[in-house]
Amino acid sequence: MSEQNLTKNQDLVLNQLGKSKTPMSAYDLLDKLREKGLKAPLQIYRALDKLTEMGLAHRLETLNAFVACAHPNCHENELIAFGICENCNKVWEFSDDEVSKRLDLWAKERDFTPVKTSLEIRGICAKCA
Amino acid sequence: MSEQNLTKNQDLVLNQLGKSKTPMSAYDLLDKLREKGLKAPLQIYRALDKLTEMGLAHRLETLNAFVACAHPNCHENELIAFGICENCNKVWEFSDDEVSKRLDLWAKERDFTPVKTSLEIRGICAKCA
DNA sequence: TCCATTAATGTAATAACATAACATTGTTGC
DNA sequence: GCAACAATGTTATGTTATTACATTAATGGA
Ligand SMILES: [Zn+2]
Ligand SMILES: [Zn+2]
Ligand SMILES: [Zn+2]
Ligand SMILES: [Zn+2]
């Protein structure tokens, strides 16, 4: 299940994220990957940095946790949004061109240069309602 | 500059936030408020909890920091968005009905019940460009 | 007024999340 | 082989947030 040219640690972390149905914190990942030889938080954080740069994983700011990207080559999309169920912790990844457009417009009107946008809707999903 | 019926600690924290031109972390606040008698992080976090509930302050998830609300009675707005300059740390608070509408639509289509939405655009402001 | 209930506070200890610093190893291209 | 760079390993430390428990203040009846 290796993707691209991931290093050993990156591959371990991405696989573990991929197996999880819900977001995992760096320390969740570390606990799971100790048996594979990883010993320190930094090994996890460094792998996560690269994976998020590559668009293979995403950081959820409201949870301090990470998910594997749900789409192939997601980092083509400028804006990625997440719905997060506070009961079952499932995450839905989506994007919306109209939202992107409106935020771009806000930025243009102020000569603000966006670098990274975070959009997370916390709530309760249909199943949990 | 007290607002509503704030308690002593809430008032101290809100005033300190109001004086700051940029977001402050809980520990930034604690450092500033030690001279006023506050001694422990929990005193700050408890005040911040109430202030954010009341809509008088907002938490910036991508910074783990807090700002005083820029608007009167902001919590009437469902969705509050922030532009954050990564150079000068200034914050612009805004809302956009069209964005709100699109996100509401996404939620309705999935029977997802939003509780709290976080929208933060990190970037470089006009002055810092 | 007295008492019960709830809200707010004080304090210490600890948990959870993230990075700095530095030494070492692996990979790539010449 | 060697220089340059990327990735790794390891220890220590910094930063953010919560648990637990004791105390005090405000509120609202009986
Ligand atoms: Zn993605
Ligand atoms: Zn759910
Ligand atoms: Zn506001
Ligand atoms: Zn700026």
Side-chain angles (χ1 to χ4, degrees):
Chain A
M1 189 74 26
S2 276
E3 317 213 14
Q4 304 187 181
N5 290 323
L6 299 183
T7 66
K8 177 183 135 257
N9 289 1
Q10 290 161 16
D11 193 57
L12 286 170
V13 168
L14 184 56
N15 269 292
Q16 190 59 54
L17 277 183
K19 281 184 210 155
S20 176
K21 297 200 181 304
T22 54
M24 296 181 77
S25 75
Y27 282 78
D28 290 342
L29 285 162
L30 180 56
D31 285 343
K32 285 286 188 183
L33 293 175
R34 276 185 209 285
E35 62 189 35
K36 299 278 170 63
L38 297 197
K39 290 176 183 165
L42 200 46
Q43 297 177 290
I44 308 292
Y45 281 108
R46 287 201 278 227
L48 287 168
D49 280 351
K50 295 297 178 183
L51 291 170
T52 53
E53 260 177 36
M54 291 187 258
L56 298 175
H58 302 297
R59 174 182 169 83
L60 299 173
E61 298 288 349
T62 63
L63 295 180
N64 297 328
F66 301 82
V67 288
C69 177
H71 308 130
N73 281 25
C74 173
H75 71 301
E76 309 290 339
N77 289 317
E78 321 116 36
L79 176 67
I80 310 161
F82 301 91
I84 303 170
C85 177
E86 295 188 331
N87 184 252
C88 67
N89 298 124
K90 287 225 183 77
V91 172
W92 289 261
E93 181 178 340
F94 68 103
S95 57
D96 185 293
D97 287 343
E98 186 62 24
V99 170
S100 298
K101 247 190 258 175
R102 296 292 303 169
L103 298 181
D104 280 349
L105 183 61
W106 179 88
K108 281 210 178 61
E109 285 171 353
R110 286 158 187 79
D111 287 322
F112 186 95
T113 309
V115 172
K116 174 107 178 57
T117 296
S118 157
L119 174 44
E120 300 176 18
I121 309 176
R122 307 273 302 253
I124 303 295
C125 80
K127 277 200 180 167
C128 293
Chain B
M1 191 73 29
S2 278
E3 316 211 14
Q4 307 187 181
N5 291 324
L6 299 183
T7 66
K8 176 183 135 258
N9 289 1
Q10 290 161 14
D11 194 57
L12 286 170
V13 167
L14 184 57
N15 270 290
Q16 190 59 52
L17 278 183
K19 282 184 208 156
S20 176
K21 296 200 183 302
T22 53
M24 297 181 76
S25 74
Y27 283 79
D28 290 340
L29 285 161
L30 180 55
D31 285 342
K32 286 285 190 185
L33 294 174
R34 275 183 209 285
E35 62 189 32
K36 300 279 170 61
L38 297 198
K39 290 177 184 167
L42 197 48
Q43 296 175 294
I44 307 292
Y45 281 107
R46 288 200 277 227
L48 287 169
D49 280 351
K50 294 296 179 185
L51 291 170
T52 53
E53 260 177 35
M54 291 188 259
L56 297 174
H58 301 298
R59 174 181 169 84
L60 299 173
E61 297 288 349
T62 63
L63 295 179
N64 296 328
F66 301 82
V67 288
C69 178
H71 308 130
N73 280 28
C74 173
H75 70 301
E76 309 291 339
N77 289 315
E78 321 118 35
L79 176 67
I80 309 161
F82 301 92
I84 304 170
C85 177
E86 295 189 330
N87 185 250
C88 67
N89 297 124
K90 287 222 183 78
V91 173
W92 289 261
E93 181 179 340
F94 68 102
S95 56
D96 185 294
D97 287 343
E98 187 60 24
V99 170
S100 298
K101 247 188 260 174
R102 295 291 304 171
L103 297 181
D104 280 350
L105 183 60
W106 179 88
K108 280 210 180 62
E109 286 171 353
R110 286 158 187 79
D111 287 322
F112 186 97
T113 310
V115 172
K116 174 108 178 55
T117 297
S118 159
L119 174 43
E120 301 177 17
I121 309 176
R122 307 273 304 255
I124 304 295
C125 79
K127 277 198 180 167
C128 292

